[in-house]
Amino acid sequence: MSSTTLPLTALIPISPSTLLYTLLLLPLTLLLLHQLQIRLLSPLRSVPTAHPTALLPASPWLLHATYHGLESPLLHALHRQHGPLVRLGPNDLSIASPAALNTIYTFAKPAIYATFDLGGHASIFSAHSTAASVRARTKAILPLFSDRAIRTDAVPVIAIAAAKFVARLQEARIAAKGAPVDLLRPARAFGVDAVTGYIFGRAFGALDSTAKAQLVGTSVHEFAAYSRWLYFPAWVSQYFARATPPAAVAAEHAVDEYLESLVDGALTTDGKGDLFQHRMLRCEGMSRAECVTQCKDAVFAGTDSTGLSLANGLYQLVAHPDAYARLKTAVAAGGEEADTWVAAAVKEMLRLSFAISVRLPRVVPAGGWTFEGVHIPAGTRVGVPGYVLQLDDAVFPEPTRFAPERWVGAGPEHAERMEKCWMPFGKGARSCVARTLAQVELRQAVRGVVAAGVLEGAKTVGAVERVHWFQNAVVGGKVQVKWEGDEV
């Protein structure tokens, strides 16, 4: 008997067109079932959703908001409407409550922080694990950022940078002859020279070179813009990273050459020394390439937030003459009064600069976590948006107004509430290690500018509009003032 192979249509009584429709409908059916599970059965189903598309795979709403730098203002509106919990994705929550801070910022970072890896190496900031190697690298540099080290070693270096910054502003005013002057470029130049002069022992030199100041601005802006890819798959960010503008590539090369020279100099001493690069090289498994990466991360972190906060803060002083006059009086008086009001002005500058305004996401560990009656499953991404807390009108009346006096003389209870909602450097064990250094830099620069009277007669030029990526950016790249009466 001969065997006969029957056609598939004889074995399965289905037409080709029906088979095609079935194959097309199958993924849609699976998607529908998935959405029913997410929307009706998830423990997070009671949490208000940011947008109908937020619960689709990868949350198109969140990708759109992040890419266009809209996440922070959108979350501000959403939390005002819905309360402290808002669902941004199938397993992603924004929690605008200071009561959540101490718990969330004990959780591990999610893998998306790898977006900030540099040269294929994870930095102290971008490493999402808490492995021994990460702890060892952090521990190695911590002595540089102690109060004692900053007081004895950093302050003299910062004083030199602050004096140069004041001089650059004075020169810019004279050269402008009444035309607008950008505060952001010299502020970034101060930020990079202050931090590099201290932690590396040799300043980059942006305050001494217009070309270097331009390089810093270009490099920092491009790094901030790259954070728009934070929630996208890694291959997407890596693909678009190849489209970096030539000017940004040249700027990065210049920074790399400077850092490589520092690391190579440290290698000739076998890492003996107390500077940042020496301490890194002594860490187990540290290569030359990774040391350059760790140094670059410190440069970006120390330049962008300080520069943006300083430029925006001086702009705010010009825009609020009463606050400027009060600060000027305190600085002239000197002593404790000056220290108090300068510190208050800097805290208010940091509150309203939003250098990092988006959520600093973490991942809920095994066993899950319950907050305000909602069980949040393990693996859920959670974060507290500093932008929302720092504009909470219940804590900061008239929250968009620059008011340093809110930090002076506040009662203990209210002062504590403000401190809990003030998070320009993050919170928890992995908050910015250089937070004290950054505040000392800003205090010295602000004190120097006010004492020299550089802002006398200045007026703001236009509004400062921001793009709220992970790291803030200013639309147009300039924060401008001009001096009336200086026109030719």
Side-chain angles (χ1 to χ4, degrees):
M1 179 184 294
S2 62
S3 62
T4 303
T5 301
L6 296 175
L8 181 61
T9 53
L11 296 173
I12 306 175
I14 186 172
S15 68
S17 60
T18 302
L19 179 60
L20 177 61
Y21 292 144
T22 301
L23 292 175
L24 290 174
L25 288 173
L26 181 60
L28 295 177
T29 302
L30 293 175
L31 176 61
L32 177 61
L33 292 173
H34 179 255
Q35 287 296 295
L36 289 173
Q37 187 276 327
I38 287 174
R39 296 170 190 269
L40 301 180
L41 302 178
S42 168
L44 304 178
R45 62 187 179 276
S46 64
V47 178
T49 303
H51 188 269
T53 64
L55 299 187
L56 293 174
S59 183
W61 177 87
L62 182 58
L63 297 182
H64 176 271
T66 304
Y67 180 85
H68 291 285
L70 301 171
E71 181 183 347
S72 293
L74 287 175
L75 286 183
H76 185 245
L78 286 164
H79 282 293
R80 286 180 70 87
Q81 179 182 357
H82 297 298
L85 278 77
V86 176
R87 195 176 181 189
L88 310 185
N91 297 291
D92 197 341
L93 293 183
S94 177
I95 304 178
S97 171
L101 288 168
N102 290 339
T103 301
I104 287 179
Y105 293 104
T106 63
F107 299 161
K109 291 183 174 181
I112 58 172
Y113 277 84
T115 301
F116 299 109
D117 288 354
L118 297 168
H121 296 281
S123 66
I124 290 175
F125 171 73
S126 69
H128 59 272
S129 73
T130 53
S133 60
V134 177
R135 295 195 299 272
R137 283 152 173 70
T138 304
K139 184 178 180 180
I141 62 168
L142 280 179
L144 285 171
F145 303 105
S146 69
D147 290 346
R148 179 179 179 181
I150 291 171
R151 187 169 55 250
T152 59
D153 301 327
V155 166
V157 176
I158 297 169
I160 294 172
K164 289 184 177 181
F165 173 65
V166 172
R168 296 298 87 80
L169 286 185
Q170 291 171 325
E171 293 164 1
R173 173 181 179 174
I174 294 170
K177 298 178 180 179
V181 170
D182 176 32
L183 300 175
L184 186 55
R185 183 184 295 182
R188 280 173 168 162
F190 165 75
V192 72
D193 280 5
V195 71
T196 57
Y198 170 54
I199 68 173
F200 298 144
R202 190 179 90 213
F204 181 71
L207 286 168
D208 299 315
S209 165
T210 301
K212 284 189 174 181
Q214 176 63 44
L215 287 172
V216 168
T218 301
S219 183
V220 167
H221 176 79
E222 189 61 28
F223 189 73
Y226 188 68
S227 67
R228 71 178 69 185
W229 305 110
L230 179 63
Y231 292 108
F232 286 79
W235 66 267
V236 175
S237 58
Q238 291 166 4
Y239 175 82
F240 284 100
R242 294 181 292 181
T244 303
V249 173
E252 186 174 359
H253 285 167
V255 173
D256 285 344
E257 288 178 0
Y258 159 73
L259 296 174
E260 287 167 359
S261 70
L262 292 172
V263 173
D264 288 341
L267 283 168
T268 62
T269 65
D270 294 325
K272 295 178 181 178
D274 290 326
L275 297 172
F276 187 98
Q277 60 271 32
H278 299 125
R279 293 173 176 276
M280 277 294 168
L281 285 171
R282 291 198 293 270
C283 292
E284 184 177 354
M286 180 64 63
S287 66
R288 175 184 181 273
E290 187 191 343
C291 188
V292 171
T293 290
Q294 300 290 357
C295 291
K296 184 186 291 188
D297 183 67
V299 170
F300 284 136
T303 300
D304 193 34
S305 58
T306 300
L308 186 63
S309 298
L310 179 57
N312 181 70
L314 297 182
Y315 178 95
Q316 293 283 3
L317 284 174
V318 172
H320 296 81
D322 290 347
Y324 173 74
R326 183 67 189 83
L327 182 60
K328 179 183 175 182
T329 299
V331 169
E336 185 178 349
E337 183 179 357
D339 292 342
T340 297
W341 281 93
V342 169
V346 167
K347 287 186 81 73
E348 191 73 344
M349 290 174 179
L350 288 164
R351 184 181 72 85
L352 291 175
S353 69
F354 307 115
I356 296 180
S357 62
V358 300
R359 298 175 305 148
L360 297 169
R362 296 293 189 267
V363 179
V364 176
W369 172 51
T370 299
F371 182 75
E372 295 207 350
V374 177
H375 178 71
I376 305 172
T380 302
R381 201 161 55 198
V382 294
V384 178
Y387 182 95
V388 178
L389 294 191
Q390 290 172 187
L391 289 180
D392 184 349
D393 54 11
V395 179
F396 303 101
E398 298 181 79
T400 60
R401 184 172 69 90
F402 180 75
E405 64 272 14
R406 72 173 84 242
W407 298 98
V408 180
E413 184 178 342
H414 187 66
E416 183 180 3
R417 290 184 68 198
M418 289 196 296
E419 287 289 350
K420 284 183 177 180
C421 291
W422 186 78
M423 50 182 298
F425 303 105
K427 293 286 186 181
R430 295 191 69 181
S431 60
C432 177
V433 297
R435 55 191 176 274
T436 301
L437 177 65
Q439 291 177 78
V440 171
E441 291 172 353
L442 289 169
R443 290 171 190 169
Q444 291 221 29
V446 169
R447 188 189 296 259
V449 169
V450 173
V454 182
L455 299 180
E456 297 291 331
K459 300 292 182 182
T460 59
V461 178
V464 179
E465 298 180 21
R466 297 183 181 86
V467 183
H468 293 274
W469 292 317
F470 190 96
Q471 291 173 281
N472 232 320
V474 174
V475 176
K478 294 181 179 181
V479 177
Q480 294 181 312
V481 299
K482 67 177 182 178
W483 283 265
E484 293 185 349
D486 287 0
E487 295 86 351
V488 177

